[in-house]
Amino acid sequence: MIPKRSKYAIQALKCLAKVYREKKHLSIATIAEEENIPRKFLETILLQLRNGGMVGSKMGATGGYFLVKHPDEIVLSSIIRATGGPIALLPCVSLNFYEECTECPHEELCGLHDVMLEVREASIHILSKTSLADLILREKKLLRKSENKRK
Amino acid sequence: MIPKRSKYAIQALKCLAKVYREKKHLSIATIAEEENIPRKFLETILLQLRNGGMVGSKMGATGGYFLVKHPDEIVLSSIIRATGGPIALLPCVSLNFYEECTECPHEELCGLHDVMLEVREASIHILSKTSLADLILREKKLLRKSENKRK
DNA sequence: AAATATACTACTAATTTAATAGGAATTAAA
DNA sequence: TTTAATTCCTATTAAATTAGTAGTATATTT
Ligand code: FES
Ligand code: FES
């Protein structure tokens, strides 16, 4: 499971992606309300994303946050990583939260390690080819599909 | 990440799988030492696996645990599930730990949900085709490979 | 009987994550 | 130049989860 922090980050960035073309920026409060995220919590998340160079901010009244890259270029795996979420199922196969398995004598000889590497690769493959733009596109498709059903 | 509990369970079952043919059973203490797992913790894990019908036990002196199914038929996904480990990256796409996303208005219209479903499917696909027997086989292959390298 | 196991339940400790608090700094507009 | 709106930053608290332990009952073999 990824932390809520990472999920909230994805939601917030999706929100910003939607206004990217108009070069608008959104305030924390706006995003928090839109996406049902606790405002103060979101504040720390956006700060983290800004320090990680994923978003930009403008201070003062009428300030806010905005994407610094095109929604096509921001992929889910980097958002999860930037917010400290592990993708792998075991620490010994995690790129960013690597920890040795004290109970396994040799990582290179461990069958479980080997399988979990494959799982990680499969997950990362999907998460790093899916961008914010893709996410929005998917939602449009899902909406069309559900409208067709209703008929 | 899956809990340590699940990792320990896989290790312990792999241990039991290795003696399956000889119809032997192993004591908790033996497995704990072999696999570097805290004995008392392993006790609770094996109990859970027994209550879940994955292993059998024999009480009393010379007692111990043994597999009730062939190592070919016990797959990683069921071990992880039996020990309460989530495989999905979000509760809203978890089969066994499902929880609604309070912040997303409609699950069917959520792009993130959609992507995370794919990730879950990919992970489960690997984990449910890998059995204890496969794990042991993999380790044999890894050993051969590392021996060749050393030459 | 003694020794060696599992069965069971409850508890404690440790860690992590989620969320909040509160004020400083910045900017735009009244 | 004051006021209102906003980000910036750090510390703290609260909540939840997980890891691990303790202790005793029960069963089986020798
Ligand atoms: S090395 Fe990590 S599971 Fe064995
Ligand atoms: S419904 Fe779970 S992420 Fe949107």
Side-chain angles (χ1 to χ4, degrees), chain A residues 95-110:
Chain A
L95 291 170
N96 305 270
F97 304 91
Y98 177 79
E99 242 173 277
E100 202 180 338
C101 273
T102 52
E103 47 278 339
C104 295
H106 295 293
E107 207 166 85
E108 327 82 59
L109 303 180
C110 177

Side-chain angles (χ1 to χ4, degrees), chain A residues 4-20:
Chain A
K4 270 205 150 144
R5 202 179 180 74
S6 298
K7 199 218 155 184
Y8 289 158
I10 295 170
Q11 287 183 263
L13 293 173
K14 188 183 71 184
C15 216
L16 292 175
K18 283 179 179 166
V19 300
Y20 180 77

Side-chain angles (χ1 to χ4, degrees), chain A residues 130-141:
Chain A
T130 307
S131 68
L132 291 175
D134 291 327
L135 219 53
I136 291 168
L137 196 65
R138 264 178 200 258
E139 298 198 341
K140 281 183 188 154
K141 283 185 189 163

Side-chain angles (χ1 to χ4, degrees), chain B residues 28 43 50 57 61 65:
Chain B
I28 296 174
E43 199 177 311
R50 198 207 57 146
S57 64
Y65 281 90

